[in-house]
Amino acid sequence: MGLFRHLTQYFTKEVEDQIKPKTIGTSSKADKATFQDAGTNARSTELLSRYITVYEKGGLLSEAFDLYPIFMFSQGYEFVGDPGGIEACKSFIDGFDFSKTLTLMVIGSLVCADAFAEVAPGRGAMSRTPVAMLPRDPTQFSIVFDDRGIAEAYEQKVGFDKKIRLEKNEICHIQMIPSLRGSYGVSLMARCFDEAMRDTRIVTGLSNAIDRHGTPKWLGRVGATPESIVDQESLDLITTTLSNLNSKTSIAVPKSVEVQQLDTSGIQGVQAYHEMSLLRLLGAIGVPGELVGWRQGTTDNTAVSRIRAFLLKCESYNQALARQLNLQVFDQVTGNSGSVKIQFKSLLPDEIADKTAWIVNLMKADPLDPYGIITKEQVREKLGLI
């Protein structure tokens, strides 16, 4: 079986392996210095590591990124094609945590532009058969190109001097957003990074301003009359009194002392600054604010439209992910190119959309009691949530 699988894979190579272009890719060996060392699409290990750190500690930004795999895989997936091949694919994904691997690959490709997982074979008689996908640190990997810019292998750099070469059939390379200028993808984190840094500065500035000016303060002007002479002891007493004010404090001062209240209006425009920053950040990530707990606008219709657009974007990512998994992984598992394909179920099936519209109309019929006609339990049942 191993020999048959090997021969089948040999004669069913990807189209990319069989073409002979005249043009030179941006990421070819001939242009390596421009692309990998000083080019704008170069993979900087330090920069990618910084992106990962921002994702791991990003709060709202991290939650927004996590929404992509959550929604992409929310309706599940299925295998279609040859029954025997389907059983082989199901047996393959049962051998490891496939759901975790998919999540890591999507997050890795969105944060670092490209995600890599080793398609690991078994031992002994299974030495030519894939038995697991092992996600690896994307910052360690680079693509090895030929002189025309076509990927011919991958290379993992571990430590300072150790390099591991992997052939194309040994790596699953996932890319959600392709680049116009090379074989490496585009990082969604890179797109929103500047907005994230601006949001950090704005929030930090607002927090500091609120700490400093968000509560009223008192100014004691001593010597308000020309003839008044105040000693240091009196100044210290007044300062102490104004420093310990509370709801029960009463102040009696002579004519020579004038007490004024500062910062009585607080910080102006906090909400406007915050909303502007948040809107730009979520827009750069491509996630509707409603999904992270921030309501934008005053009507539900615009929210529904934004969420639907986000789901359509997730569906396009699902299609790209499925194609890459089918070509790089499941064709190897079955040993027959195209015999079995993974398909992610639609995130906007017409049946669910129709049911949702019907439920919403019933709830709108009695604005004072939205669940007077249809109960919460019936809503969950109709939408298949129980």
Side-chain angles (χ1 to χ4, degrees):
M1 180 65 180
L3 179 60
F4 173 77
R5 188 185 304 276
H6 180 68
L7 291 174
T8 302
Q9 293 171 4
Y10 179 81
F11 287 111
T12 57
K13 291 181 179 179
E14 297 180 32
V15 175
E16 187 180 69
D17 293 334
Q18 302 174 14
I19 62 177
K20 187 179 180 181
K22 290 184 178 181
T23 55
I24 297 177
T26 309
S27 49
S28 66
K29 289 180 180 177
D31 202 23
K32 181 177 180 180
T34 300
F35 177 74
Q36 292 185 337
D37 298 335
T40 55
N41 198 29
R43 281 177 65 82
S44 166
T45 301
E46 293 77 12
L47 187 58
L48 294 179
S49 296
R50 187 180 182 187
Y51 288 164
I52 293 176
T53 301
V54 171
Y55 164 73
E56 292 177 342
K57 300 181 179 181
L60 178 67
L61 179 144
S62 303
E63 288 296 319
F65 270 77
D66 287 342
L67 288 174
Y68 279 98
I70 289 174
F71 277 88
M72 286 171 63
F73 310 137
S74 61
Q75 299 301 316
Y77 55 84
E78 60 184 353
F79 291 101
V80 296
D82 175 66
I86 291 176
E87 290 302 317
C89 291
K90 289 183 177 179
S91 177
F92 169 72
I93 65 174
D94 287 342
F96 62 99
D97 193 338
F98 186 57
S99 297
K100 176 183 176 181
T101 299
L102 288 180
T103 299
L104 290 174
M105 297 298 278
V106 170
I107 292 296
S109 61
L110 293 177
V111 174
C112 296
D114 300 84
F116 303 90
E118 181 181 357
V119 184
R123 299 178 182 272
M126 302 289 288
S127 61
R128 293 187 180 275
T129 303
V131 296
M133 291 175 61
L134 307 175
R136 299 306 189 197
D137 183 354
T139 66
Q140 297 179 341
F141 281 82
S142 60
I143 306 174
V144 180
F145 302 99
D146 63 12
D147 58 355
R148 292 291 168 178
I150 296 178
E152 59 182 15
Y154 296 90
E155 189 174 79
Q156 181 188 24
K157 183 178 180 181
V158 183
F160 292 101
D161 55 0
K162 184 177 182 181
K163 294 183 179 181
I164 302 173
R165 182 184 172 93
L166 299 109
E167 301 304 321
K168 293 180 66 176
N169 65 323
E170 297 178 292
I171 284 290
C172 177
H173 174 199
I174 298 299
Q175 188 180 97
M176 293 290 101
I177 309 175
S179 170
L180 292 172
R181 296 185 293 178
S183 295
Y184 290 108
V186 174
S187 166
L188 182 61
M189 178 68 77
R191 287 180 170 180
C192 70
F193 187 77
D194 289 344
E195 294 298 339
M197 295 302 101
R198 292 190 190 99
D199 180 71
T200 301
R201 289 197 298 272
I202 289 174
V203 171
T204 301
L206 291 175
S207 299
N208 292 337
I210 291 172
D211 287 341
R212 186 171 182 177
H213 303 289
T215 55
K217 297 170 184 64
W218 299 92
L219 170 65
R221 191 158 66 94
V222 181
T225 59
E227 67 276 6
S228 61
I229 300 176
V230 182
D231 56 47
Q232 186 60 45
E233 183 178 354
S234 299
L235 286 174
D236 293 341
L237 178 61
I238 294 171
T239 301
T240 302
T241 303
L242 294 179
S243 299
N244 297 320
L245 292 180
N246 55 54
S247 59
K248 297 181 180 180
T249 300
S250 298
I251 303 176
V253 295
K255 182 180 179 181
S256 60
V257 177
E258 181 180 342
V259 178
Q260 297 178 348
Q261 192 175 21
L262 304 178
D263 293 330
T264 57
S265 60
I267 305 301
Q268 303 299 312
V270 172
Q271 183 176 357
Y273 284 122
H274 173 66
E275 289 186 353
M276 176 197 69
S277 173
L278 190 59
L279 176 61
R280 291 180 61 89
L281 176 59
L282 293 176
I285 301 174
V287 172
E290 288 79 8
L291 298 182
V292 291
W294 180 60
R295 182 180 178 86
Q296 179 185 350
T298 58
T299 65
D300 291 332
N301 290 335
T302 54
V304 171
S305 299
R306 284 192 293 270
I307 294 174
R308 181 179 177 85
F310 174 72
L311 293 178
L312 290 173
K313 185 177 182 180
C314 288
E315 284 202 339
S316 70
Y317 283 170
N318 271 345
Q319 293 173 4
L321 177 62
R323 182 180 183 278
Q324 293 170 81
L325 289 173
N326 290 329
L327 288 174
Q328 301 178 53
V329 180
F330 295 116
D331 281 357
Q332 292 193 61
V333 173
T334 62
N336 188 5
S337 179
S339 63
V340 174
K341 294 184 178 181
I342 187 174
Q343 290 183 352
F344 295 96
K345 295 182 180 179
S346 175
L347 304 179
L348 290 169
D350 294 336
E351 182 180 358
I352 293 182
D354 293 340
K355 286 182 179 179
T356 302
W358 176 70
I359 291 172
V360 168
N361 288 332
L362 288 179
M363 295 175 68
K364 286 182 177 180
D366 187 356
L368 299 179
D369 187 9
Y371 293 104
I373 299 176
I374 183 170
T375 65
K376 292 182 180 180
E377 290 73 21
Q378 289 173 328
V379 171
R380 292 173 60 85
E381 180 180 1
K382 292 294 183 182
L383 295 178
L385 300 177
I386 57 175

